[in-house]
Amino acid sequence: MNLKKLLLTAIMVLPVIAFSQVTFTNSNSLLVNSSLTSGVAIGVSDMNGDGLDDIVRLHDASSLQIEYQTAGGGNFTQYNYGSTGSSHWGLAIADVDKNGFNDVVIGGYNNGVRVLKASSNGATYSSTTLNGTIFLQNVNFADMDNNGTIDIFACHDNGTSLAYNNDGSGNYTIDNAGLINAVSTVPSDNSGNYGSIWTDYDNDGDQDLYISKCRLGVTNANDGRRINLLFQNDGNGNYTDVAVAAGLVPYGQSWSANFEDIDNDGDLDCIVINHDINSVIYENNGNGTFSDITASSGISSILSGMGSGGIQIIMEDFDNDTFIDLFVTARSGSHHMFKNNGNKTFTEMPSPFTLPTGPSRIQSAAVGDLNNDGFMDVVAGFANGYNGPSNYPDVLYFNDGNSNNWSEIRLRGNTSNINGIGARIELYGSWGKQIREVRSGESYGTMNSLLTHFGLGSATSITKIKVLWPSGEEDEILNPAINTSIEIIEGSTLTADEYTDLSISIYPNPTSNYVTVSTPNNNSSIAYSVYDISGKAVITQQDLNTSKQIDLKSLTSGIYFIHLEEDGKTQIQRIVKS
């Protein structure tokens, strides 16, 4: 047994943390449209850039409606786009054209992939149907080639999934050859692509892709149409299926999967929802492989009893105790919410939701902080069959919360994509280290908040927040405040590359046009140069003008270093150009 396994075995003998029941309150009375009926696709995200999570839904799986959370939390205003066609099953959200307002991608049963882009002021949306015939199941926004633009990955039930390349302005073309060609390793017609999730499962700093494969009517467990795929990224955008070697092929009809760190050991574990065999909890071994720990999880009998019922697996810290809990939605039988006991076992939370009259279970859900109180709330839907809308209105469930503390982090990329999709966030404190990833589209039909949420338990401080950006850039914030939402802009924190010999301040930072230099001696002579992140001089040395302003309008968005010289002394200041 290796050292990591010995340490984890030792941890297993620690006392289990006290059980705390999570409960939710039906808060539909606060919505503008409390009678909306979704299909399976539901989204939560900040759509208007105010830092508050909003609700994005498709009434009857067709009509796009956004409910914006208002300041103060718990109240909403509405934007109604109207019909987008019919039978949309997948939904993801991101800012594809970098205008500061998030956009939406949807698709479903042979109706193509459609992008709805926010206008320059976020007040309206326009729709574009992309090329390519597809029976779409799940869909993701991801920067597959890591060039700072947000691409689309669309799961195709009837053939090879489609990858769409973003030209930087939110215009898309099919580019399976240049991005990823997600074909079955066991030769097949490449159908049966259901759930998809982009994640760094092997901790090497780049995004990999896991696809849950399900082909109804195919009974041979070794058929390529139902063997899950794990495409490992070599860091240069080359993808190789390693699912069998990694131990992430359950050889079942897999509907969806998710990855989070259930034991806070610094790597991402996996849950796979299967329909013809038991669903599985996999522990990440830390070496690129996984072990099935379902039998010792404490909930194996419940997972085995779900049969073909499970639809989505959502992994969140619902009670803010520092450990990731599990929420499984279902098309038949019952939904389940499981509390993480802190030792790789789980306990079912009895009746966290009071269902309205009619539906017997929650079939679809998305989560986010919808009243800005630091606890994760749920928008629940009651679909028919697998994907169709029912006659039962969705329900907004507010988390009743407890006394535990929390932190929420939103990212804005510069060199990386603007939403920070693919970034990893590490939170350090008395609990050790927690990790999260920023994702757009996961599990099956689910868009959870881009706001990254951490529970702190009874801890009253955070030692450090560290952001590992897709660009390779790292940002750190020491001793940040707790119980608040923090925005971190790529490249905005001080590093060893910056130092000060002078008492000079530069503002605003970030900036879109100019920065002003403030010095105690207004009559001093100051020279400056500006360098990009690679060290190339983009503005060669010149003297500061009388207005004390440096014009940066000609520079593209990104990270720059301003070198200031006065009387033989130097100051280097990092600036974010938006």
Side-chain angles (χ1 to χ4, degrees), residues 102-159:
N102 279 329
D103 312 296
V104 182
V105 61
I106 55 177
Y109 181 67
N110 292 337
N111 56 9
V113 177
R114 183 171 294 192
V115 177
L116 295 103
K117 293 169 63 175
S119 61
S120 59
N121 62 1
T124 60
Y125 283 76
S126 60
S127 174
T128 301
T129 299
L130 305 184
N131 291 332
T133 301
I134 185 172
F135 178 179
L136 186 139
Q137 296 285 350
N138 198 47
V139 64
N140 315 97
F141 278 125
D143 187 359
M144 286 179 258
D145 52 2
N146 200 21
N147 67 348
T149 63
I150 299 170
D151 310 307
I152 295 172
F153 182 81
C155 282
H156 190 6
D157 194 359
N158 286 341

Coordinates of all heavy atoms in Angstrom, one line a residue, residues 102-159:
N102 N -23.7 36.9 -20.3 CA -23.6 35.5 -20.6 C -24.6 35.1 -21.7 O -25.7 35.7 -21.8 CB -23.8 34.6 -19.4 CG -22.5 34.5 -18.6 OD1 -21.4 34.5 -19.1 ND2 -22.7 34.4 -17.3
D103 N -24.2 34.1 -22.5 CA -25.0 33.6 -23.6 C -25.4 32.2 -23.3 O -25.0 31.6 -22.4 CB -24.2 33.7 -24.9 CG -23.5 35.1 -25.1 OD1 -24.3 36.1 -25.2 OD2 -22.3 35.2 -25.0
V104 N -26.3 31.7 -24.2 CA -26.9 30.3 -23.9 C -26.8 29.5 -25.1 O -27.0 29.9 -26.3 CB -28.4 30.5 -23.5 CG1 -29.0 29.1 -23.2 CG2 -28.6 31.4 -22.4
V105 N -26.4 28.2 -24.9 CA -26.5 27.2 -26.0 C -27.5 26.1 -25.6 O -27.5 25.7 -24.5 CB -25.1 26.6 -26.3 CG1 -24.5 25.8 -25.1 CG2 -25.2 25.6 -27.5
I106 N -28.3 25.8 -26.6 CA -29.4 24.7 -26.3 C -29.4 23.8 -27.5 O -28.9 24.1 -28.6 CB -30.8 25.4 -26.1 CG1 -31.1 26.3 -27.3 CG2 -30.8 26.1 -24.8 CD1 -32.5 26.9 -27.2
G107 N -30.1 22.7 -27.4 CA -30.3 21.7 -28.4 C -31.1 20.5 -27.9 O -31.3 20.4 -26.7
G108 N -31.5 19.7 -28.8 CA -32.3 18.5 -28.4 C -32.5 17.6 -29.5 O -31.6 17.2 -30.3
Y109 N -33.8 17.1 -29.6 CA -34.1 16.0 -30.5 C -34.2 16.5 -32.0 O -35.1 17.1 -32.5 CB -35.5 15.5 -30.1 CG -36.0 14.3 -31.0 CD1 -35.3 13.1 -30.9 CD2 -37.0 14.4 -31.9 CE1 -35.6 12.0 -31.7 CE2 -37.4 13.4 -32.6 CZ -36.7 12.2 -32.6 OH -37.1 11.1 -33.4
N110 N -33.1 16.3 -32.7 CA -32.9 16.6 -34.1 C -33.3 18.0 -34.5 O -33.9 18.3 -35.6 CB -33.8 15.6 -34.9 CG -33.2 14.2 -34.9 OD1 -32.0 14.0 -34.6 ND2 -34.0 13.2 -35.1
N111 N -33.1 19.0 -33.6 CA -33.4 20.4 -33.9 C -32.1 21.3 -33.9 O -32.2 22.5 -33.8 CB -34.4 20.9 -32.9 CG -34.0 20.8 -31.5 OD1 -32.9 20.5 -31.2 ND2 -34.9 21.1 -30.5
G112 N -31.0 20.6 -34.0 CA -29.7 21.4 -34.1 C -29.2 22.0 -32.8 O -29.8 21.8 -31.8
V113 N -28.1 22.6 -32.9 CA -27.5 23.4 -31.8 C -27.7 24.8 -32.0 O -27.4 25.4 -33.1 CB -26.0 23.1 -31.7 CG1 -25.4 23.9 -30.6 CG2 -25.7 21.6 -31.5
R114 N -28.3 25.5 -31.0 CA -28.7 26.9 -31.2 C -28.0 27.7 -30.1 O -28.0 27.4 -28.9 CB -30.2 27.0 -31.1 CG -30.7 28.5 -31.3 CD -32.2 28.5 -31.4 NE -32.7 27.8 -32.5 CZ -34.0 27.9 -33.0 NH1 -34.8 28.7 -32.4 NH2 -34.3 27.3 -34.1
V115 N -27.4 28.9 -30.5 CA -26.8 29.8 -29.6 C -27.6 31.1 -29.6 O -27.9 31.7 -30.6 CB -25.3 30.1 -30.1 CG1 -24.7 31.2 -29.2 CG2 -24.5 28.9 -30.2
L116 N -27.9 31.5 -28.3 CA -28.7 32.7 -28.1 C -27.7 33.7 -27.4 O -27.3 33.5 -26.3 CB -29.9 32.4 -27.2 CG -31.0 31.6 -27.9 CD1 -30.9 30.1 -27.3 CD2 -32.4 32.1 -27.7
K117 N -27.4 34.7 -28.1 CA -26.4 35.7 -27.7 C -27.0 37.0 -27.2 O -27.9 37.5 -27.8 CB -25.4 36.0 -28.9 CG -24.6 34.9 -29.3 CD -23.8 35.1 -30.6 CE -22.8 36.3 -30.5 NZ -22.1 36.5 -31.7
A118 N -26.5 37.4 -26.0 CA -26.9 38.6 -25.4 C -26.4 39.8 -26.2 O -25.3 39.8 -26.7 CB -26.4 38.7 -24.0
S119 N -27.3 40.9 -26.3 CA -26.9 42.1 -26.9 C -25.8 42.8 -26.1 O -25.4 42.4 -25.0 CB -28.1 43.0 -27.1 OG -28.6 43.3 -25.8
S120 N -25.3 43.9 -26.7 CA -24.2 44.6 -26.1 C -24.5 45.2 -24.7 O -23.6 45.4 -23.9 CB -23.7 45.8 -27.0 OG -24.8 46.7 -27.2
N121 N -25.8 45.4 -24.4 CA -26.2 45.8 -23.1 C -27.0 44.8 -22.3 O -27.5 45.0 -21.2 CB -27.1 47.1 -23.2 CG -28.4 46.8 -24.0 OD1 -28.7 45.7 -24.4 ND2 -29.2 47.9 -24.2
G122 N -27.0 43.5 -22.8 CA -27.6 42.4 -22.1 C -29.1 42.5 -22.1 O -29.8 41.6 -21.4
A123 N -29.8 43.4 -22.8 CA -31.2 43.6 -22.7 C -32.0 42.6 -23.5 O -33.2 42.3 -23.2 CB -31.6 45.0 -23.1
T124 N -31.4 42.1 -24.6 CA -32.1 41.2 -25.5 C -31.2 40.1 -26.0 O -30.0 40.2 -25.7 CB -32.6 42.0 -26.8 OG1 -31.5 42.5 -27.5 CG2 -33.6 43.1 -26.4
Y125 N -31.8 39.1 -26.6 CA -31.0 38.0 -27.1 C -31.3 37.7 -28.6 O -32.5 37.9 -29.0 CB -31.2 36.7 -26.3 CG -30.5 36.7 -25.0 CD1 -31.0 37.5 -23.9 CD2 -29.4 36.0 -24.8 CE1 -30.3 37.5 -22.7 CE2 -28.7 36.0 -23.6 CZ -29.2 36.7 -22.5 OH -28.5 36.8 -21.3
S126 N -30.4 37.3 -29.4 CA -30.6 36.9 -30.8 C -30.1 35.5 -30.9 O -29.2 35.0 -30.2 CB -29.8 37.8 -31.7 OG -28.4 37.7 -31.5
S127 N -30.8 34.8 -31.9 CA -30.6 33.3 -32.0 C -29.9 32.9 -33.3 O -30.2 33.5 -34.4 CB -31.9 32.6 -31.9 OG -31.8 31.2 -32.1
T128 N -29.0 32.0 -33.2 CA -28.3 31.4 -34.4 C -28.3 29.9 -34.3 O -27.9 29.4 -33.3 CB -26.9 32.0 -34.6 OG1 -26.9 33.4 -34.6 CG2 -26.2 31.4 -35.8
T129 N -28.8 29.2 -35.3 CA -28.7 27.8 -35.4 C -27.4 27.4 -36.1 O -27.2 27.8 -37.2 CB -29.9 27.2 -36.1 OG1 -31.1 27.5 -35.3 CG2 -29.8 25.6 -36.1
L130 N -26.6 26.6 -35.5 CA -25.3 26.2 -36.0 C -25.5 25.1 -37.0 O -26.5 24.3 -37.1 CB -24.4 25.7 -34.9 CG -24.2 26.7 -33.8 CD1 -23.1 26.2 -32.8 CD2 -23.7 28.1 -34.3
N131 N -24.5 24.9 -37.9 CA -24.5 23.8 -38.9 C -24.4 22.5 -38.2 O -23.8 22.4 -37.1 CB -23.4 24.0 -39.9 CG -23.6 25.2 -40.8 OD1 -24.7 25.6 -41.1 ND2 -22.5 25.8 -41.3
G132 N -24.9 21.5 -38.9 CA -24.7 20.1 -38.4 C -26.0 19.5 -37.9 O -26.7 20.1 -37.1
T133 N -26.3 18.3 -38.4 CA -27.5 17.6 -37.9 C -27.1 16.8 -36.7 O -26.1 16.0 -36.7 CB -28.0 16.6 -39.0 OG1 -28.3 17.4 -40.2 CG2 -29.2 15.9 -38.5
I134 N -27.9 17.0 -35.6 CA -27.5 16.3 -34.3 C -28.8 16.0 -33.5 O -29.7 16.8 -33.5 CB -26.5 17.2 -33.5 CG1 -26.0 16.5 -32.3 CG2 -27.1 18.6 -33.2 CD1 -24.9 17.2 -31.6
F135 N -28.8 14.9 -32.9 CA -29.7 14.5 -31.8 C -29.0 14.8 -30.5 O -28.3 13.9 -30.0 CB -30.2 13.1 -32.0 CG -31.1 12.6 -31.0 CD1 -31.6 11.3 -31.0 CD2 -31.6 13.4 -29.9 CE1 -32.5 10.8 -30.1 CE2 -32.5 12.9 -29.0 CZ -33.0 11.6 -29.1
L136 N -29.2 16.0 -30.0 CA -28.3 16.4 -28.9 C -28.9 15.9 -27.5 O -30.1 16.1 -27.3 CB -28.2 18.0 -28.8 CG -27.3 18.5 -27.8 CD1 -26.5 19.7 -28.4 CD2 -28.0 19.0 -26.6
Q137 N -28.0 15.4 -26.7 CA -28.3 15.1 -25.4 C -27.7 16.1 -24.4 O -28.4 17.1 -24.2 CB -27.8 13.7 -25.0 CG -28.4 12.5 -25.8 CD -29.8 12.2 -25.4 OE1 -30.3 12.6 -24.4 NE2 -30.5 11.3 -26.2
N138 N -26.5 16.0 -24.0 CA -25.9 17.0 -23.1 C -25.0 18.0 -24.0 O -24.6 17.6 -25.1 CB -25.0 16.4 -22.1 CG -24.7 17.4 -20.9 OD1 -25.6 18.1 -20.4 ND2 -23.5 17.5 -20.5
V139 N -24.7 19.2 -23.5 CA -23.9 20.1 -24.2 C -23.0 20.9 -23.2 O -23.5 21.1 -22.0 CB -24.8 21.1 -25.0 CG1 -25.7 22.0 -24.1 CG2 -23.9 22.0 -25.9
N140 N -21.8 21.2 -23.6 CA -20.9 22.0 -22.7 C -20.3 23.2 -23.5 O -20.1 23.1 -24.7 CB -19.7 21.1 -22.3 CG -20.1 19.7 -21.8 OD1 -20.0 18.8 -22.6 ND2 -20.4 19.6 -20.6
F141 N -20.0 24.2 -22.8 CA -19.1 25.3 -23.2 C -17.7 24.9 -22.6 O -17.6 24.7 -21.4 CB -19.5 26.6 -22.7 CG -20.6 27.3 -23.6 CD1 -21.7 27.8 -23.0 CD2 -20.3 27.5 -24.9 CE1 -22.7 28.4 -23.8 CE2 -21.3 28.2 -25.7 CZ -22.5 28.6 -25.1
A142 N -16.7 24.9 -23.4 CA -15.3 24.6 -22.9 C -14.3 25.2 -23.9 O -14.6 25.2 -25.1 CB -15.1 23.1 -22.7
D143 N -13.2 25.6 -23.3 CA -12.1 26.1 -24.2 C -11.2 25.0 -24.6 O -10.2 24.7 -24.0 CB -11.3 27.2 -23.5 CG -10.3 27.9 -24.4 OD1 -10.2 27.5 -25.6 OD2 -9.6 28.8 -24.0
M144 N -11.6 24.2 -25.6 CA -11.0 22.9 -25.9 C -9.6 23.1 -26.4 O -8.7 22.2 -26.2 CB -11.8 22.2 -26.9 CG -13.1 21.6 -26.4 SD -14.1 20.7 -27.6 CE -15.3 21.9 -27.9
D145 N -9.3 24.2 -27.1 CA -7.9 24.4 -27.6 C -7.2 25.4 -26.8 O -6.0 25.8 -27.1 CB -7.9 24.8 -29.1 CG -8.9 26.0 -29.3 OD1 -9.5 26.5 -28.4 OD2 -9.0 26.4 -30.5
N146 N -7.8 25.9 -25.7 CA -7.1 26.7 -24.7 C -6.5 28.0 -25.3 O -5.4 28.4 -25.0 CB -6.0 26.0 -23.9 CG -5.7 26.7 -22.6 OD1 -6.5 27.5 -22.0 ND2 -4.5 26.4 -22.0
N147 N -7.3 28.6 -26.2 CA -6.8 29.8 -26.8 C -7.5 31.1 -26.3 O -7.4 32.2 -26.9 CB -7.0 29.7 -28.3 CG -8.4 29.7 -28.8 OD1 -9.3 29.5 -28.0 ND2 -8.6 29.8 -30.1
G148 N -8.3 30.9 -25.2 CA -9.0 32.0 -24.6 C -10.4 32.3 -25.1 O -11.1 33.2 -24.7
T149 N -10.9 31.5 -26.1 CA -12.2 31.6 -26.6 C -13.0 30.3 -26.2 O -12.4 29.2 -26.0 CB -12.3 31.7 -28.1 OG1 -11.7 30.6 -28.7 CG2 -11.5 33.0 -28.5
I150 N -14.3 30.4 -26.0 CA -15.1 29.4 -25.5 C -15.8 28.6 -26.6 O -16.6 29.1 -27.3 CB -16.2 30.0 -24.5 CG1 -15.5 30.7 -23.4 CG2 -17.1 28.8 -24.0 CD1 -16.5 31.5 -22.5
D151 N -15.4 27.3 -26.7 CA -15.9 26.4 -27.8 C -17.2 25.6 -27.2 O -17.5 25.8 -26.1 CB -14.8 25.5 -28.2 CG -13.5 26.2 -28.5 OD1 -13.6 27.1 -29.3 OD2 -12.5 25.8 -28.0
I152 N -17.8 24.8 -28.1 CA -18.9 24.1 -27.7 C -18.7 22.6 -28.0 O -18.1 22.2 -29.1 CB -20.2 24.5 -28.6 CG1 -20.6 25.9 -28.2 CG2 -21.4 23.6 -28.3 CD1 -21.7 26.5 -29.1
F153 N -19.0 21.7 -27.0 CA -19.0 20.3 -27.3 C -20.5 19.8 -27.1 O -21.1 20.0 -26.1 CB -18.1 19.6 -26.3 CG -18.0 18.1 -26.5 CD1 -17.2 17.6 -27.5 CD2 -18.8 17.2 -25.8 CE1 -17.2 16.2 -27.8 CE2 -18.8 15.8 -26.1 CZ -18.0 15.3 -27.1
A154 N -21.0 19.1 -28.1 CA -22.4 18.7 -28.2 C -22.5 17.2 -28.3 O -22.0 16.6 -29.3 CB -23.1 19.4 -29.3
C155 N -23.0 16.5 -27.3 CA -23.2 15.0 -27.4 C -24.3 14.7 -28.4 O -25.4 15.2 -28.3 CB -23.6 14.5 -26.0 SG -22.3 14.4 -24.8
H156 N -23.9 13.7 -29.3 CA -24.8 13.3 -30.3 C -25.3 11.9 -30.0 O -24.5 11.0 -29.8 CB -24.1 13.3 -31.7 CG -24.9 13.1 -32.9 ND1 -26.3 13.0 -32.8 CD2 -24.6 13.0 -34.2 CE1 -26.8 12.8 -34.0 NE2 -25.8 12.8 -34.9
D157 N -26.6 11.7 -29.9 CA -27.1 10.3 -29.6 C -27.0 9.4 -30.8 O -26.8 8.2 -30.6 CB -28.6 10.5 -29.2 CG -29.1 9.2 -28.5 OD1 -28.3 8.2 -28.4 OD2 -30.3 9.2 -28.1
N158 N -27.1 9.9 -32.0 CA -27.1 9.1 -33.2 C -25.8 9.0 -34.0 O -25.8 8.5 -35.1 CB -28.2 9.5 -34.1 CG -29.6 9.1 -33.6 OD1 -29.7 8.3 -32.7 ND2 -30.6 9.8 -34.0
G159 N -24.7 9.6 -33.5 CA -23.5 9.6 -34.2 C -22.4 10.3 -33.4 O -22.5 10.5 -32.2

